Amino acid sequence: MDLNTVLAQLETADEEETEKFLRQYIRENSHTFSFDPEEESLRSKLCQSVLSVLGRRVKPSCQKTCLETLRILSRDKRVLAPVATREGMLILGGMARLNAGEEGDDNQNISQEDTQSEEEERVVVVEALKCLCNVVYNSPAAQQVSVDVQLVHGLCATLRTARTWHHEVGLFTLRLLFLVSALRPDVRGVLRREWHAVRLLTEVLEHTLDVSWVGPYEAARPDPQALPMPAEDNERAMEALKALFNLTLSDTGGEEDDHHFRLIAAILRHSLMLKTETEEKTEEAHSHAINLLNNLPVSCLDVLIDVPVQGGLEIYGGKNMDAVQMLIDFMEKRMDKQGSNYKEGLTPVLSLLTEGSRHHREIRRYIKAQVLPPLKDVKIRPEIGTTTRNKLVRLMTHVDMGVKQTAAEFLFVLCKESVDNLLKYTGYGNAAGLLVARGLLAGGRGETQYSEDEDSDTEEYKSAKPFINPITGHVEEPMPNPIEEMTEEQKEYEAQKLVNMFDKLSRQNVIRPMGVRPDGTLAPLEETLCDPPEDSGSDSD
C-alpha cells in the first residue's frame, strides 16, 4: 500500500476505517526490517498520525493495531522523532501501564478500565512495551526522554506485581529495564538508590526460579526427576539476570549489603543447578548467571560451596563442589565450541574461576585436581592433546590478548602464583607473555599469599624432570648435533655470521635485543648491562 494513500485516508477516516487501513499496512510490512530511504519523511508522518490516534479514546482493537504499526515503524531509527518526545513517550508509557510522568493518564484518556477486558488490556500493554523497547533501543533522544518522564519509576512499580503478571508483560518489562540500564549508565545509580531495583529484580528472580530456602543462603536441591524449567520462565529469568548485571556492573551506590549479595549468589547457584528444555537454552542461562557472579564481591563466592544441608566432600573440608563442577563443565563446553567468540563466551567463566580460586582455597584445590592433575607423561608438549590442561595452554598463545591473559592468569593462580609450578605445567615458551607482564621472568611468586600445602610430584615426573626442556615443557627426542662434525674455523664462521644477522636486524629496528633486570622485568639489553648488581650487604672490601 502506498504511504501517501495511507496518510491521506487516515486524515479523514473514522476509527474502523483507520483500523482497516493500518491492518493492511501491517500485513504488507510485518516482516520488513529494511526500509526505503526515499519514504523516510512519509514514515515519520505516519508515526505522528498513529500517535494522534492513540492520543484519542479509541477501542482496544484499534489501540492494538496502532501499536503494531508503530512497532514496525520503530525498526527504522531515522523516523522516530515524533515518538521520541515527551508526549509520545507518555502515550506509550501510559499504554504500557507504566504510569510514566505526572501527565500520563487524563490527557491521553488511555485507562479505559470500564471498556477493556483483562485480555484486551494485556494485549495492548504487551504491544506498547514492545514499541518502547524498539524506540528506546533505536533512539538516544527517546532514551533521554524516558529518563525525564521517570519511565524507570513505572518499570520498578511493575516489578512489584511480578507474582501475578502475564509472561509477555513480565518479559518485555524486564527487557525494557535491561535496555534503559544498558544504554543509560547514569540511570543505574538512581535505579539502585531510589527505586531499589536490585532488591526488586532479586525477588523477581527468586520467584521465577521457584527457589525454596532450606538455610540462610542455601536453596533446596532441584528434584532430579522434575521436568525441565519451562521456556517462558527461563526467558524471564535471563532478562532479569541481564538487568541485574547492568545494575551491579559498578559500585554506583545502593542499599545492597553483604547479605543481599550473598542472597543473589545463592540464587545464582540454584540457577546453575537447573536445566531448561534445551541444552542450548541451559547454556545461555548459565552464561548470564556467570556474568552476574563476576560482578558480585569475591568474598560472596563461598556461598557457592557452603551448603551445609546438602553436605559436601570431606576431602575439601565438607564443601559442596557441585556448582564449581558446573562452572568447569561450562568452561570446557565453551573451549570446545568451534568458531566461537572466546572473548565473550569463555573469558567470563575463566575470570570467575580465577577469582574464586585466588580467594577460596577449597575451590582452587578442587579445580586444580580437575585441570592440572599430577604430571605423568611428559613426552608430549603441554599444548598438544585433548585434556583441559592442553586446551588452556593453547589459549596462552591465542591471538586475542584478553583471552591469552585470562587463560594464563587462571593457570597461574591454580599454581599458587608460583613461576616454577606454572612452568612445570606449561613450559617457559607458553608462559613468557604472563611472566613479562608480571615482571617475573627471573622467577619467584605473585603477590597473593597461599596456603603452604605442598604439590606432590609423581614418580614418573621426578624421573623425567632432568631431561625436560624448560622452554617446551616436555622431554624431547635426542636430536643430532648440527655442529658436531664442523671444524673450529667453521663454527667460528657460522657464529660470526649469526652475530652479523642479529646486528643488521637490530640496526633496522626489526628486532630489539632485550635483557632481564634484577627485578625480573624486561628492558633494552644495553640498560640491563649497565644496571649495577644488587647490594649483597657485605661490608668487605
Side-chain angles (χ1 to χ4, degrees):
M1 177 182 282
D2 180 62
L3 277 176
N4 282 308
T5 304
V6 174
L7 289 167
Q9 291 173 332
L10 287 180
E11 287 182 4
T12 58
D14 59 21
E15 188 174 324
E16 291 185 2
E17 291 174 332
T18 296
E19 196 172 341
K20 175 185 174 183
F21 296 140
L22 291 181
R23 278 180 179 165
Q24 184 175 348
Y25 179 82
I26 292 168
R27 282 195 297 272
E28 294 175 1
N29 295 276
S30 60
H31 299 292
T32 301
F33 292 89
S34 180
F35 297 90
D36 184 356
E38 294 183 1
E39 294 184 339
E40 190 174 309
S41 61
L42 295 176
R43 289 196 300 278
S44 183
K45 289 178 181 176
L46 182 57
C47 279
Q48 184 61 64
S49 297
V50 170
L51 280 173
S52 298
V53 175
L54 288 172
R56 304 194 299 264
R57 183 183 290 273
V58 292
K59 294 186 301 183
S61 60
C62 186
Q63 290 178 337
K64 175 179 176 292
T65 304
C66 288
L67 289 168
E68 287 179 349
T69 305
L70 199 57
R71 174 163 55 84
I72 293 171
L73 293 169
S74 64
R75 296 168 183 168
D76 183 1
K77 61 179 68 177
R78 295 166 298 183
V79 303
L80 294 178
V83 188
T85 61
R86 185 178 181 85
E87 179 187 9
M89 294 300 285
L90 285 172
I91 289 174
L92 290 180
M95 290 278 181
R97 298 298 183 263
L98 297 179
N99 301 318
E102 67 282 355
E103 302 170 18
D105 293 321
D106 297 334
N107 291 349
Q108 279 71 50
N109 293 315
I110 53 177
S111 55
Q112 299 185 30
E113 282 87 354
D114 55 331
T115 59
Q116 286 184 256
S117 70
E118 185 177 332
E119 177 62 19
E120 289 174 330
E121 180 178 354
R122 181 189 62 75
V123 170
V124 170
V125 168
V126 169
E127 282 300 327
L129 286 168
K130 290 179 180 178
C131 285
L132 283 169
C133 287
N134 279 2
V135 172
V136 168
Y137 179 73
N138 284 318
S139 171
Q143 295 162 22
Q144 179 58 53
V145 175
S146 69
V147 174
D148 296 339
V149 301
Q150 297 187 349
L151 198 67
V152 292
H153 182 196
L155 287 169
C156 289
T158 305
L159 293 182
R160 293 186 172 88
T161 65
R163 292 181 179 275
T164 59
W165 64 21
H166 183 273
H167 164 63
E168 285 193 312
V169 174
L171 178 67
F172 290 104
T173 297
L174 292 166
R175 184 167 296 172
L176 183 56
L177 183 58
F178 160 71
L179 288 170
V180 173
S181 59
L183 298 169
R184 290 299 300 256
D186 55 310
V187 177
R188 296 171 190 164
V190 177
L191 279 165
R192 287 178 62 169
R193 288 190 305 271
E194 298 183 19
W195 308 120
H196 316 299
V198 171
R199 176 177 58 80
L200 291 170
L201 284 167
T202 304
E203 292 172 359
V204 169
L205 201 57
E206 182 181 349
H207 168 67
T208 306
L209 298 177
D210 194 23
V211 176
S212 177
W213 297 106
V214 295
Y217 304 112
E218 180 178 358
R221 186 197 303 269
D223 183 356
Q225 304 302 320
L227 294 173
M229 184 180 179
E232 291 185 348
D233 289 352
N234 187 50
E235 280 188 299
R236 295 199 308 279
M238 287 194 291
E239 292 298 332
L241 288 170
K242 287 156 58 179
L244 271 171
F245 174 82
N246 290 340
L247 297 182
T248 57
L249 198 54
S250 59
D251 185 13
T252 51
E255 63 175 355
E256 302 80 28
D257 53 15
D258 185 68
H259 161 71
H260 197 88
F261 285 129
R262 285 177 174 275
L263 194 65
I264 295 175
I267 295 173
L268 294 178
R269 183 192 187 281
H270 179 72
S271 72
L272 290 173
M273 299 294 107
L274 295 174
K275 294 188 180 299
T276 63
E277 294 179 349
T278 66
E279 188 174 336
E280 182 182 353
K281 284 297 181 182
T282 300
E283 187 175 331
E284 185 182 356
H286 289 179
S287 176
H288 291 306
I290 288 166
N291 290 340
L292 181 53
L293 277 168
N294 271 300
N295 286 356
L296 301 184
V298 71
S299 60
C300 298
L301 296 184
D302 63 334
V303 172
L304 297 180
I305 60 174
D306 193 5
V307 284
V309 175
Q310 295 182 33
L313 302 173
E314 187 176 343
I315 189 176
Y316 298 109
K319 304 299 183 182
N320 186 299
M321 295 296 166
D322 291 349
V324 178
Q325 186 60 53
M326 292 295 296
L327 295 175
I328 295 173
D329 293 343
F330 180 90
M331 174 189 71
E332 291 181 342
K333 285 181 185 177
R334 287 297 169 97
M335 284 195 294
D336 292 340
K337 270 196 172 180
Q338 297 296 324
S340 63
N341 185 339
Y342 280 153
K343 188 161 189 176
E344 292 182 4
L346 179 62
T347 55
V349 68
L350 282 177
S351 297
L352 178 62
L353 291 173
T354 300
E355 293 307 307
S357 299
R358 197 194 306 273
H359 293 90
H360 301 280
R361 176 174 176 265
E362 295 83 4
I363 293 178
R364 176 182 58 77
R365 288 181 57 222
Y366 181 82
I367 296 175
K368 186 178 181 185
Q370 305 289 315
V371 175
L372 298 178
L375 289 174
K376 292 183 179 180
D377 183 4
V378 288
K379 294 180 180 179
I380 302 175
R381 295 170 71 110
E383 66 271 23
I384 296 175
T386 58
T387 68
T388 305
R389 169 192 164 225
N390 300 144
K391 297 170 187 175
L392 287 166
V393 173
R394 284 199 291 272
L395 290 177
M396 294 177 77
T397 55
H398 195 273
V399 293
D400 188 290
M401 185 66 72
V403 173
K404 68 190 253 182
Q405 287 177 342
T406 308
E409 187 73 14
F410 176 48
L411 292 174
F412 192 45
V413 168
L414 291 184
C415 294
K416 297 192 288 188
E417 300 190 25
S418 165
V419 172
D420 290 342
N421 282 344
L422 179 69
L423 297 183
K424 180 173 75 174
Y425 287 102
T426 68
Y428 198 93
N430 291 312
L434 172 80
L435 300 181
V436 169
R438 287 289 206 111
L440 291 171
L441 282 169
R445 284 185 173 272
E447 298 177 354
T448 307
Q449 297 297 317
Y450 292 90
S451 60
E452 295 299 324
D453 52 304
E454 294 295 328
D455 295 311
S456 57
D457 291 330
T458 62
E459 291 301 322
E460 295 93 331
Y461 177 78
K462 289 177 181 178
S463 61
K465 186 175 181 180
F467 309 103
I468 295 175
N469 182 330
I471 303 300
T472 61
H474 80 302
V475 176
E476 297 180 332
E477 293 293 330
M479 300 285 290
N481 188 345
I483 64 172
E484 188 174 0
E485 298 181 1
M486 286 185 182
T487 65
E488 291 302 318
E489 289 79 7
Q490 287 175 318
K491 292 177 184 178
E492 187 174 340
Y493 172 77
E494 291 295 336
Q496 188 60 48
K497 184 179 176 181
L498 187 61
V499 169
N500 291 337
M501 291 169 64
F502 275 119
D503 182 63
K504 182 179 179 181
L505 291 172
S506 178
R507 290 178 186 279
Q508 294 175 348
N509 291 322
V510 176
I511 63 172
R512 187 176 189 184
M514 305 291 283
V516 182
R517 289 195 180 105
D519 63 0
T521 58
L522 276 179
L525 185 61
E526 59 270 17
E527 291 184 20
T528 60
L529 293 175
C530 296
D531 280 346
E534 290 187 351
D535 186 3
S536 63
S538 172
D539 294 332
S540 64
D541 295 328

